[in-house]
């Protein structure tokens, strides 16, 4: 399942081994980063030595937590429904044991990376789980370094399975997406990637063009993204790392976007001190 695949050692995104670019385009973009020494390094996935734990974070929702390996350490989620499972975001690692555990959760119906940083080893996971369709936002398809054998290009909003809807809200990337699921309790769960990122306080979110390079989205875009998410009812929100909001998440997204817009629009500049040293 790893034949023909090479990864960027920095971001973990897969590429065709025979057509490697001189530098990883994902890392060369200002939303990511090249190594400090500027040297592109490639990695063979079979040599990663990573471990993957499949952890239930709430009923019928599982996190794939990677220990070791390469890349930025994203945490994929697998939601399980009566109609099959959906993987949201993709690890930059794969092991036979993790594939076996995920397969036991039920037939995988779709793999949905929220944006190009989350492509990981998506073609390997697709093949290992039975040639699962990989949902690629049409707006972001140009970032593919390896084209999935079973690719589903999509735009806007689509129902993935009954009770599971994928929606492209943009912002971080033009095709940046979230996945809404009713949840086992019916209260609603939003798997937000980092289209909307939960903050460490567990009560607020942020909206960024680049997370590692600290480039914020404008207030107008943050409000647009939040309004797009608020079309759905959801009590809980999970990002693409370990962060989450475990109650009142829809309201938290809206109030966080308003706060973001106020700060980026200069509303609170009076809190930041004098413009310069006194003459």
């Amino acid at each position: 399942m790893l034949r023909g695949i090479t990864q960027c050692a920095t971001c973990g995104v897969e590429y065709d081994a025979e057509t490697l670019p001189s530098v990883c385009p994902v890392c060369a973009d200002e939303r990511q980063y090249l190594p400090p020494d500027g040297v592109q390094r490639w990695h063979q996935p079979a040599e990663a030595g990573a471990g993957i734990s499949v952890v239930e974070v709430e009923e019928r929702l599982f996190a794939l937590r990677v220990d070791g390996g390469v890349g930025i350490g994203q945490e994929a989620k697998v939601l399980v429904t009566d109609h099959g499972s959906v993987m949201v975001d993709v690890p930059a690692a794969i092991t036979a044991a993790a594939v076996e555990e995920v397969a036991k959760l039920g037939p995988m119906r779709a793999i949905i990376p929220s944006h190009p940083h989350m492509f990981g080893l998506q073609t390997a996971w697709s093949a290992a789980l039975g040639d699962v369709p990989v949902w690629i936002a049409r707006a972001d398809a140009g970032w593919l370094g390896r084209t999935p054998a079973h690719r589903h290009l999509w735009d806007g909003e689509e129902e993935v399975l009954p009770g599971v809807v994928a929606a492209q809200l943009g912002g971080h990337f033009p095709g940046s997406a979230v996945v809404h699921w009713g949840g086992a309790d019916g209260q609603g769960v939003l798997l937000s990637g980092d289209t909307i990122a939960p903050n460490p306080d567990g009560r607020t979110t942020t909206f960024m063009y680049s997370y590692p390079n600290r480039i914020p989205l404008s207030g107008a875009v943050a409000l647009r993204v939040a309004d797009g998410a608020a079309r759905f009812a959801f009590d809980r929100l999970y990002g693409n790392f370990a962060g989450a909001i475990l109650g009142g998440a829809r309201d938290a997204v809206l109030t966080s976007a308003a706060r973001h817009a106020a700060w980026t629009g200069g509303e609170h500049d009076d809190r930041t001190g004098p413009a310069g040293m006194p003459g």
Side-chain angles (χ1 to χ4, degrees):
M1 61 185 172
L2 296 174
R3 185 176 301 170
I5 299 177
T6 296
Q7 288 177 280
C8 173
T10 301
C11 69
V13 168
E14 63 179 13
Y15 287 86
D16 281 317
E18 295 182 359
T19 57
L20 290 177
S22 59
V23 66
C24 170
V26 172
C27 290
D29 180 75
E30 66 180 348
R31 283 163 287 201
Q32 183 56 20
Y33 52 87
L34 293 168
D37 61 9
V39 177
Q40 175 66 51
R41 294 175 177 84
W42 300 105
H43 188 83
Q44 301 307 310
E47 300 170 357
I52 302 176
S53 301
V54 181
V55 179
E56 189 170 20
V57 295
E58 65 171 73
E59 187 178 356
R60 291 194 160 205
L61 181 65
F62 297 80
L64 275 59
R65 294 176 175 163
V66 179
D67 180 23
V70 299
I72 57 178
Q74 66 261 33
E75 182 177 286
K77 305 295 190 299
V78 174
L79 61 90
V80 180
T81 80
D82 293 340
H83 304 277
S85 302
V86 177
M87 180 183 289
V88 181
D89 294 326
V90 188
I94 188 169
T95 67
V99 169
E100 182 178 0
E101 285 194 62
V102 170
K104 287 179 180 177
L105 299 175
M108 187 65 64
R109 303 303 188 194
I111 294 173
I112 308 178
S114 61
H115 66 288
H117 294 153
M118 298 295 107
F119 285 169
L121 290 177
Q122 60 190 10
T123 66
W125 276 98
S126 170
L129 291 170
D131 294 328
V132 180
V134 181
W135 287 44
I136 302 295
R138 193 181 307 274
D140 296 338
W143 292 99
L144 286 169
R146 181 175 175 83
T147 301
H150 299 273
R151 179 185 62 171
H152 173 68
L153 293 177
W154 68 291
D155 301 284
E157 184 175 308
E158 286 197 30
E159 185 175 57
V160 186
L161 294 174
V164 180
V165 176
Q168 294 172 17
L169 304 184
H172 182 48
F173 273 79
S176 280
V178 299
V179 174
H180 179 263
W181 169 52
D185 62 357
Q187 296 300 304
V189 172
L190 194 73
L191 303 179
S192 65
D194 54 16
T195 305
I196 303 169
N199 288 325
D201 62 12
R203 299 187 303 275
T204 63
T205 67
T206 193
F207 308 82
M208 300 291 280
Y209 181 73
S210 171
Y211 288 88
N213 297 319
R214 312 298 196 269
I215 306 173
L217 294 172
S218 72
V221 172
L223 291 168
R224 186 191 76 202
V225 169
D227 286 346
R231 300 198 309 269
F232 302 102
F234 57 96
D235 181 56
R236 301 174 300 282
L237 177 148
Y238 294 88
N240 54 342
F241 291 86
I245 297 177
L246 299 179
R250 182 180 179 275
D251 287 344
V253 167
L254 290 170
T255 57
S256 295
R259 180 179 73 170
H260 182 103
W263 274 100
T264 56
E267 185 175 326
H268 301 308
D269 284 359
D270 59 307
R271 303 186 194 177
T272 65
M277 296 296 291

